[in-house]
Amino acid sequence: MKYMTDDKVELDYCDQGQGQPVILVEGFGGYQEIWKLQVKYLLEMNCRVITYDHRNHGRSQRTAANLSIEQLTADLAGLIDYLKLDQPILIGHSMGASVCYDYLSHYQNVDAVMAIDQSPKMLNDVDWPYGFESITNADFSEKLNYPDEVHETLHGLDRRITLALNRVRSQYPFDRNQNMTLLFDHAQKDWRRILLKSSIPVTLVTARQSPYFDYHFADSLVDQNSLIKQVVVDNCGHDIIAEVPELFNQTLRHFIFSSTKKR
């Protein structure tokens, strides 16, 4: 299915099931197929599940216009309005979590947010050693332009997901170089204040062996806002949802039930 954004970019989305709406937001360079096993699980929990591809991602339209986190947030807000979703739950992975963080800075019409392996501040400094790898304000553009060869996972992706991802990647390849403007914008954001002020419950799911983030980044946030919870997943890397899907889905199940019990 297709949805037209406010700046006339066509996004591909999938809307399945009935019940509590849950929107799954992919990361930078991601594809909505990465959520395959979460979609199946959520449908069995009688949820309405929405996945979509960002502009320049997956089956969505390619464009050089408005490549920023703010625009991706506007795209998400527009999709929620277009589908007339009532108090959806947002679940974002990696950069998709940052889109969810930004959404909280503009809107309150969600039941809860889950952010998967994404520090709210990407740049490291003296007061925040929990950013992306070792990048700082002084060197992030160079390091992101010439990234280290890092394995995102500890053991590789679940084969059931790999097959679906490989198929769509070959048909709709992601051009990293054409999306560096978006990546640079993402890298310079700081969502800590938004999270600490949030009146919406936020669950931070972190990977103990993430190659990108020190999972301790959630500790100080949890201590300062009782609505922020942390779940640490062991024996996996950055792509928790696709590396240990059964283990992650148990966390997902508890999160969904705790987020909807007030309804």
Side-chain angles (χ1 to χ4, degrees), residues 74 238 252:
H238 180 62
L252 178 61

Side-chain angles (χ1 to χ4, degrees), residues 108-119:
Q108 298 292 300
N109 62 332
V110 295
D111 266 356
V113 167
M114 175 185 279
I116 305 166
D117 209 49
Q118 178 59 57
S119 171

Side-chain angles (χ1 to χ4, degrees), residues 200-252:
I200 304 296
V202 177
T203 295
L204 303 173
V205 179
T206 57
R208 194 181 301 274
Q209 290 87 13
S210 173
Y212 296 146
F213 302 107
D214 181 336
Y215 70 94
H216 292 99
F217 75 78
D219 294 346
S220 63
L221 302 172
V222 169
D223 291 342
Q224 297 182 67
N225 185 341
S226 63
L227 291 177
I228 300 177
K229 308 297 182 186
Q230 180 188 21
V231 177
V232 181
V233 181
D234 208 352
N235 199 34
C236 68
H238 180 62
D239 296 330
I240 303 170
I241 54 178
E243 186 173 3
V244 287
E246 276 79 14
L247 181 59
F248 172 78
N249 284 350
Q250 292 305 308
T251 295
L252 178 61

Side-chain angles (χ1 to χ4, degrees), residues 54-73:
H54 300 301
R55 57 185 60 209
N56 287 2
H57 289 64
R59 294 176 172 83
S60 291
Q61 182 180 336
R62 272 42 179 176
T63 177
N66 299 329
L67 300 181
S68 68
I69 295 295
E70 287 80 2
Q71 183 60 53
L72 297 193
T73 304

